[in-house]
Amino acid sequence: MEISIGILIAFLIPQVVHIGTQEEGEKGCVPGFQVKEYQVENNRGFQKDHPLTQMLFDDCVGNEGMAFEVSHPDFQVDEEMNLVARRDVMDSGTVMFIHGVNEHAEDMAQVDIVGALPRSPQTLREILGLGQIQPYRSKRALFAPRMHVSENMEPPFPKVIGTLQVMSSGMEDNHIFHMTGSGADQDPKGVFTINRLTGEVSVSQELDREAINSYMLEVSVTDLNGKLVEGPVALLVDVNDQNDNRPIFKETRYAGEVLEGSPTGTVVMTMTAEDADDPRLQNAVLRYNIVRQSPDKPSPNMFYINPESGNIVTVISPTLLDRETLPTTQYELEIVAQDMKGRDVGLTGTSTATITITDKNDHAPEFTHSLFQANVDEGSTGVVVNLTVDDRDDPATGAWRAVYSIINGDPTQSFEIQTNPDNNEGMLSLIKPLDYESLVFHTLLIKVENEDPLVPDVGYGSSSTATVHVTILDVNEGPVFFPDPLQVTKMENVPLGSFVALLNATDPDVLQSQSIRFAVLRDPANWLSVNPVRGTVNTSANLDRESPYVQDNKYTAIFMATDNGSPPATGTGTLVIHLEDYNDNAPYVHPSVVRLCEDAMDSVVIVGGRDRDIHPNTGPFKIELGKQPGLEKTWKVSRVNNTHAQIMLLQNMKKANYQLPLVVTDSGLPPLSNSTEIKVQVCTCKKNRMDCSGAGSVRSNLMLLLGLVLLSLLCL
């Protein structure tokens, strides 16, 4: 039992005594018990709730959430950190251990009882008073309590922050402490050092918790020969935070907007800042405040910011939050974020919030006049009059942009109205010409609305409609042809002076007595003439359907009619003559030059008939030999189809050029024949090559010639 108690005390002593032996800088704070050993005199026992001594413990951040455990179950540490007895105690023992802990610090202290008899027996559970201690392993006697060090400690360095302890029966005193890990022999190297003989752990430089908030090291003990005696054991060093970081807003300027007339308490935007200090401490607990509002009218406190969430809400009443009556539509707020829960000792950061009061459609557009008037010439189109309106809403929104409509007075839909995007005016335009002789006065009723709907409590009044009087002015209009175009059908080659058509034109100005004269404006082939008074059109030249001026069997001419008004007015009309074909073009043979081989067995060629006329004055064509005697003994012409014939050489001929007379006849009524000649080149043909050099021709590929013949047949 004595050995067990000795081992237990060996476990507790290094955590109680040696943690508190570090030196502090002039301004540094070492968390834990500020006094490690206390003495209390036992004079015939201890009375219930009577203070024995006050425990001096400081976690360097306010001692919030402290908890103490006493190794003797009959004692406790009260709220004022006094050690008191839970009941009247006579058997206190000679020593007690106090364990203090919160989220920022952990330490142990020893209380010696002077004049007390030793307690017997004492169990491990009694001494610790924790009830959760794991079974102790007697082989392990190196203890590394968790250590704490404040960031930003001032020189001189090094400073002791704690001490390791080896307590083991049978262990020699000549042992050496070792420390490894990040912060010792690994990057960042040299932050912590250990006294190899005493086990004191020291910090050698100023630390920054925001860079590294804790260090995990390993410590061990060897003998003088380097043989491992104890360990390795984990050593955790926490870097305690100091309030050395100001709150920082992500942006220097924030933008938000709120709709005019919004209820009080409407959330406009949220401002948030960040603090790099320990979020578990007040060093990083922020509070927000509005320190300036510009402008400060109609109230210097139009907005409020929730100190904890950073939500900016409206404070001003909905009635006063009127975009049209406020001195400006943008307000600038200077926001301050302060740590330490906003206490005066806290650090601050500043940003700016720009809040725009946005528009809602609470004003209907109104015409500046109830009546608009305009004069327009008959027959014209385009803008007639610009209608002006007033709207107090924001010009950049659909609450201001106007939409016009004609609600009465335009049964023929001759007018349209569009919005000028630059000034919001309504541009009333004529899209169909109006006739003075039909109607002189037009009265339109125009309505104006907004793109966006009005708010429920606002409606369109009488000022949102206006009347427009449009007066049509008389203009001398040109004569109008009817029909236009005038279409007639004529046979080509009719005699000169033949009647073609009678032009019909009337003057729209029925209220005026005016005469009309006709003239030719465009006659591409100069085939026509017109009587200026009667308007009769006659031929002045031969009408030729095959002329290049005729397209798709149609010839087009344009005439004009002019009245005697002041000034005179002219109208134009079109005459389209559909020309019927007359068989006035004899057919011809194509091609006019052909090639044959001198060997009669290989001598064949295809020719076709062509005609500038159209059906029925073209094919079928009849192609035959001319009437010269003896041709039939050398040449043979036979029909292939309705348009082509085959020419064959009946006997061998010498290589030379021959003129072959042919007669081609079309199928017109009456039919036309044409006696013509084609040039036949008789050539030498060897190995699919045609040699016409002696016949005044260059060499040609016979297979190509045959291919062209077959292609001609396929196209028939």
Side-chain angles (χ1 to χ4, degrees), residues 91-95 113 115-122:
D91 184 12
S92 64
T94 60
V95 64
I113 310 299
L117 297 176
R119 291 183 64 201
S120 179
Q122 289 183 326

Side-chain angles (χ1 to χ4, degrees), residues 462-487:
S462 58
S463 297
S464 297
T465 57
T467 301
V468 180
H469 287 167
V470 179
T471 301
I472 308 302
L473 303 179
D474 188 25
V475 174
N476 186 26
E477 302 169 85
V480 178
F481 283 83
F482 180 82
D484 189 21
L486 173 61
Q487 307 211 32

Side-chain angles (χ1 to χ4, degrees), residues 510-543:
V510 295
L511 301 182
Q512 305 177 29
S513 178
Q514 298 180 150
S515 61
I516 297 176
R517 294 184 65 84
F518 297 93
V520 177
L521 179 62
R522 183 175 179 273
D523 180 13
N526 295 319
W527 289 346
L528 305 173
S529 64
V530 62
N531 185 292
V533 178
R534 295 191 299 274
T536 55
V537 179
N538 297 85
T539 60
S540 59
N542 187 39
L543 302 181

